[in-house]
């Protein structure tokens, strides 16, 4: 199961184990130390709660082993997990044990540390935000309030098999303050009835919050007598936290998370088959391999031209986003021409920037572009150039081929200037035809784009978002009539209409415009929280 881990210089001392709390599962709430270690690990052993969004932060090639535990279903026993940790660390590897919340709060962190110490290995503990703490900020339930609750009491409703441990409801009912139960969904009825029988009133405010920090976070506000039934009706499932106490009354007023503009809405965002954009092999400040410096893709500017940045905008506005690869890009091998022969270098997409500049960086350096006027079709392509430390000299007023051609023709001034256009091998010839009226055009097919079939069932999405015409081809085998599609440009809208989609078009071909369209549509529809 384990690959051969590379030996560090400290052979006998072995590697090092990091027990990292991933918080409530949303990358926004990772600590900087946790993110740093995600980039450095050789092996990651992870539980259920960290979630795919956090795993997506790992550089390519990092080995991941799922060791999660659910009630009655363990992928590995604790003894087996300990052996995996020790075997890898003893071989000299950096082992990251990634846990939801904090490693020492109702987890097995202490057992794992004991095994590490017994083996004589080095370790570090990285705290994470526990789910009850996240709950207070993200659901509007302050766990303490000086007039209502001056103490907080945490309980687990899950005990080791065969253990005599149980919840002492008579003792718990006498406590003053807020009662918080983790891993208690299956025992919700028992907890509520046990506390009532022990003396708490049926009208005691109570709540349950599910998927804390996730876009689909849901909560039920009720009272002690009705909470368990309300949880069942509303479909509250694990992982969820149960809160009992007067502080629950603040939830309707303090809740901001579920009141975000896209809360409860669900979108399918089509994109390329790459998880994140990783520009230029030669640009160390964008390298995300182990040892590379700079910001991770997740922490990059929201002004990036990657569709993943659109996903983040939607998610932070409360929307549920399913990212599905629907096109794949493949860079082509091409001969780099003598750049001294050209006066303009025209980029019609961020992908063209990547393919061409990677070639430049492999065979020369950016000084080869010194005498060229750089043209970008739109702001997204210009931003991609900026990520290579290059500034676009000209951007047309609208990010489409028609505007690009028309405005460049106006700028030609009767001179037959020479321009170079790296672009998709399948790109439309209309731009080349128009520019040839006033320019000597050399076209370089630098990459190809092909559709990937969408082989899953289409859910009832609020919108399917298309960022390229090619992406629509992935849905050719599906019944698309009547389904709402939001498209980035006219060519994409035309392709989606041909498949039967009810198409809406962003005001301009940019990811920001797509996002703003979703916000406007949500306001028109009103409350839509699931």
């Amino acid at each position: 199961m384990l690959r051969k881990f590379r030996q560090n210089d400290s052979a006998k001392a072995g590697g090092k184990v990091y027990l990292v709390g991933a918080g409530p599962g949303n990358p926004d709430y990772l600590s900087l130390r946790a993110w740093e270690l995600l980039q450095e690990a050789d092996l990651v052993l992870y539980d259920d709660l960290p979630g795919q969004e956090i795993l997506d932060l790992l550089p390519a090639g990092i080995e991941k082993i799922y060791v999660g535990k659910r009630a009655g279903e363990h992928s590995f026993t604790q003894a087996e997990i300990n052996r995996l940790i020790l075997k890898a660390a003893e071989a000299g590897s950096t082992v990251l044990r990634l846990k939801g919340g904090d490693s020492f709060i109702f987890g097995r962190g202490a057992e794992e540390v004991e095994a590490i110490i017994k083996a004589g290995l080095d370790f570090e503990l990285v705290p994470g935000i526990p789910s009850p703490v996240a709950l207070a900020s993200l659901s509007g339930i302050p766990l303490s309030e000086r007039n209502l609750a001056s103490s907080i009491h945490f309980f687990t409703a899950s005990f080791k098999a065969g253990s005599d441990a149980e919840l002492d409801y008579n003792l718990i009912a006498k406590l003053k303050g807020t009662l918080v139960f983790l891993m208690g969904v299956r025992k919700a009825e028992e907890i509520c009835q046990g506390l009532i029988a022990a003396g708490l009133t049926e009208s005691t405010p109570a709540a349950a919050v599910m998927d804390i920090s996730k876009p689909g976070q849901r909560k039920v506000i009720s009272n002690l007598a009705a909470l368990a039934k309300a949880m069942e009706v509303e479909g509250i499932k694990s992982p969820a936290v149960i809160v009992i106490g007067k502080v629950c009354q603040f939830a309707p007023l303090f809740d901001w998370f579920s009141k975000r503009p896209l809360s409860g809405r669900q979108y399918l965002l089509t994109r390329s088959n790459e998880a994140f954009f990783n520009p230029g092999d030669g640009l160390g400040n964008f390298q995300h391999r182990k040892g590379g410096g700079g910001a991770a893709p997740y922490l990059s500017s929201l002004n990036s031209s990657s569709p993943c940045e659109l996903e983040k905008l939607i998610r932070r506005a409360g929307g549920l986003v399913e990212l599905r690869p629907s096109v794949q890009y493949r860079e082509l091998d091409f001969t780099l021409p003598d750049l001294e022969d050209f006066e303009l270098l025209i980029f019609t997409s961020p992908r063209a920037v990547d393919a061409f500049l990677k070639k430049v960086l492999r065979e020369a350096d950016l000084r080869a572009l010194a005498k060229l006027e750089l043209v970008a079709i739109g702001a997204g392509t210009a931003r991609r150039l900026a990520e290579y430390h290059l500034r676009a000299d000209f951007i047309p007023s609208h990010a489409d081929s028609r505007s690009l051609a028309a405005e460049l023709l106006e700028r030609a001034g009767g001179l037959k200037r020479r321009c170079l256009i790296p672009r998709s091998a399948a790109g439309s010839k209309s731009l080349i035809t128009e520019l040839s009226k006033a320019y000597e055009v050399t076209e370089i097919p630098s990459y190809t784009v092909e559709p990937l079939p969408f082989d899953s069932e289409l859910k009832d999405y609020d919108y399917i978002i298309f960022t390229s015409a090619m992406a629509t081809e992935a849905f050719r085998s599906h019944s698309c009539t009547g389904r709402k599609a939001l498209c980035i440009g006219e060519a994409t809208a035309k392709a989606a209409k041909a498949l039967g989609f009810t198409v809406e078009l962003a005001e301009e071909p940019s990811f920001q415009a797509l996002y703003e369209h979703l916000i406007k549509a949500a306001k028109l529809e009103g409350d839509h929280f699931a």
Side-chain angles (χ1 to χ4, degrees), residues 211-244:
D211 285 342
I212 296 165
S213 85
K214 308 290 180 63
Q217 175 177 301
R218 304 176 67 175
K219 69 176 180 291
V220 169
I221 307 299
S222 185
N223 57 53
L224 199 54
L227 180 65
K229 182 62 176 177
M231 289 172 61
E232 181 181 347
V233 170
E234 294 298 325
I236 300 295
K237 300 175 182 177
S238 294
V241 176
I242 295 172
V243 185
I244 298 170

Side-chain angles (χ1 to χ4, degrees), residues 490-514:
E490 292 181 2
T492 305
K494 182 179 179 181
K497 285 179 181 177
L499 293 179
F501 284 100
T502 300
V503 172
E504 296 178 23
L505 186 63
E507 289 188 8
E508 62 179 39
S510 71
F511 296 119
Q512 181 66 32
L514 288 170

Side-chain angles (χ1 to χ4, degrees), residues 18-39:
Y18 295 88
L19 285 86
V20 176
N26 185 324
D28 287 338
Y29 305 114
L30 276 178
S31 68
L32 289 176
R33 180 60 174 152
W35 177 84
E36 182 180 58
L37 291 172
L38 285 170
Q39 311 310 303

Side-chain angles (χ1 to χ4, degrees), residues 360-376:
V360 171
L361 289 169
R362 283 194 294 267
E363 298 187 5
D365 60 37
L366 295 179
R367 288 175 295 180
L369 309 179
K371 296 181 180 180
L372 289 166
E373 183 178 359
L374 302 182
V375 176

Side-chain angles (χ1 to χ4, degrees), residues 29-188:
Y29 305 114
L30 276 178
S31 68
L32 289 176
R33 180 60 174 152
W35 177 84
E36 182 180 58
L37 291 172
L38 285 170
Q39 311 310 303
E40 298 177 0
D42 296 308
L43 171 68
V44 176
L45 304 173
Y46 66 97
D47 292 342
D48 288 281
L49 292 179
Q52 189 60 46
E53 286 182 316
I54 289 179
L55 296 177
D56 283 342
L57 301 182
L58 292 167
I62 299 298
E63 183 171 10
K64 304 182 289 290
I65 300 178
Y66 171 70
V67 293
K69 301 181 181 74
R70 294 250 181 202
E73 298 180 14
H74 291 188
S75 55
F76 288 87
T77 65
Q78 188 59 52
E80 289 171 334
I81 294 172
N82 291 351
R83 284 195 290 270
L84 288 172
I85 293 172
L86 300 182
K87 182 177 180 180
E90 287 170 349
S93 290
T94 297
V95 182
L96 194 155
R97 178 69 175 98
L98 191 64
K99 295 170 171 282
D102 183 86
S103 299
F104 276 5
I105 296 183
F106 298 138
R108 305 280 183 90
E111 298 174 46
E112 292 169 1
V113 170
E114 286 177 340
I116 294 165
I117 292 174
K118 186 176 180 180
L121 294 164
D122 195 11
F123 71 94
E124 179 181 323
L125 287 161
V126 179
I129 301 174
S131 56
V133 176
L135 173 147
S137 296
L138 300 175
S139 68
I141 302 175
L143 297 181
S144 66
E145 202 279 334
R146 64 177 183 171
N147 295 313
L148 299 177
S150 58
S151 63
I152 310 167
H153 309 273
F154 299 106
F155 304 92
T156 176
S158 176
F159 303 104
K160 184 177 180 180
S163 170
D164 293 332
E166 60 181 17
L167 293 169
D168 186 340
Y169 295 113
N170 288 319
L171 176 61
I172 295 171
K174 295 176 183 177
L175 298 171
K176 304 294 183 183
T178 304
L179 309 177
V180 182
F181 295 85
L182 286 78
M183 296 174 279
V185 172
R186 297 177 66 193
K187 294 186 177 181

Side-chain angles (χ1 to χ4, degrees), residues 82-413:
N82 291 351
R83 284 195 290 270
L84 288 172
I85 293 172
L86 300 182
K87 182 177 180 180
E90 287 170 349
S93 290
T94 297
V95 182
L96 194 155
R97 178 69 175 98
L98 191 64
K99 295 170 171 282
D102 183 86
S103 299
F104 276 5
I105 296 183
F106 298 138
R108 305 280 183 90
E111 298 174 46
E112 292 169 1
V113 170
E114 286 177 340
I116 294 165
I117 292 174
K118 186 176 180 180
L121 294 164
D122 195 11
F123 71 94
E124 179 181 323
L125 287 161
V126 179
I129 301 174
S131 56
V133 176
L135 173 147
S137 296
L138 300 175
S139 68
I141 302 175
L143 297 181
S144 66
E145 202 279 334
R146 64 177 183 171
N147 295 313
L148 299 177
S150 58
S151 63
I152 310 167
H153 309 273
F154 299 106
F155 304 92
T156 176
S158 176
F159 303 104
K160 184 177 180 180
S163 170
D164 293 332
E166 60 181 17
L167 293 169
D168 186 340
Y169 295 113
N170 288 319
L171 176 61
I172 295 171
K174 295 176 183 177
L175 298 171
K176 304 294 183 183
T178 304
L179 309 177
V180 182
F181 295 85
L182 286 78
M183 296 174 279
V185 172
R186 297 177 66 193
K187 294 186 177 181
E189 181 69 25
E190 174 192 315
I191 291 169
C192 294
Q193 294 305 315
L195 291 173
I196 291 171
L200 286 187
T201 64
E202 293 186 350
S203 61
T204 301
V209 184
M210 169 184 165
D211 285 342
I212 296 165
S213 85
K214 308 290 180 63
Q217 175 177 301
R218 304 176 67 175
K219 69 176 180 291
V220 169
I221 307 299
S222 185
N223 57 53
L224 199 54
L227 180 65
K229 182 62 176 177
M231 289 172 61
E232 181 181 347
V233 170
E234 294 298 325
I236 300 295
K237 300 175 182 177
S238 294
V241 176
I242 295 172
V243 185
I244 298 170
K246 295 179 180 179
V247 292
C248 294
Q249 69 188 40
F250 291 105
L253 179 62
F254 288 2
D255 178 20
W256 63 273
F257 195 82
S258 65
K259 295 178 181 177
R260 292 173 297 168
L262 300 182
S263 286
R265 289 169 170 80
Q266 184 167 318
Y267 307 99
L268 177 66
L269 175 57
T270 60
R271 38 150 275 197
S272 75
N273 60 329
E274 297 169 292
F276 291 104
F277 159 62
N278 186 14
D281 290 341
L283 294 181
N285 60 321
F286 287 104
Q287 250 174 290
H288 304 130
R289 304 183 187 92
K290 183 175 180 177
Y298 188 85
L299 300 179
S300 63
S301 166
L302 284 177
N303 289 328
S304 168
S305 52
S306 165
C308 292
E309 302 303 329
L310 173 59
E311 180 264 341
K312 281 186 281 186
L313 285 170
I314 295 171
R315 181 175 52 79
R316 288 173 180 173
L320 286 160
V321 184
E322 183 180 336
L323 281 170
R324 290 298 299 263
S326 53
V327 297
Q328 59 182 351
Y329 292 100
R330 182 169 57 87
E331 293 178 4
L332 298 175
D333 187 27
F334 59 90
T335 300
L336 191 67
D338 186 350
L339 298 180
E340 293 283 343
D341 293 340
F342 301 94
E343 298 165 88
L344 278 79
L345 178 56
I346 302 173
F347 292 107
T348 58
S349 70
R351 171 54 53 186
V353 173
D354 296 341
F356 187 79
L357 292 184
K358 283 182 181 180
K359 183 77 169 180
V360 171
L361 289 169
R362 283 194 294 267
E363 298 187 5
D365 60 37
L366 295 179
R367 288 175 295 180
L369 309 179
K371 296 181 180 180
L372 289 166
E373 183 178 359
L374 302 182
V375 176
I377 194 170
T381 303
R383 284 193 291 267
R384 187 62 54 88
L385 278 171
E387 289 168 338
Y388 287 88
H389 309 293
L390 295 170
R391 180 181 299 172
D393 297 298
F394 175 70
I395 305 171
S397 58
H398 294 88
D400 57 64
S401 296
R402 185 185 306 167
S403 298
L404 176 63
E407 294 177 30
L408 282 177
L409 290 175
E410 286 183 8
R411 287 167 54 89

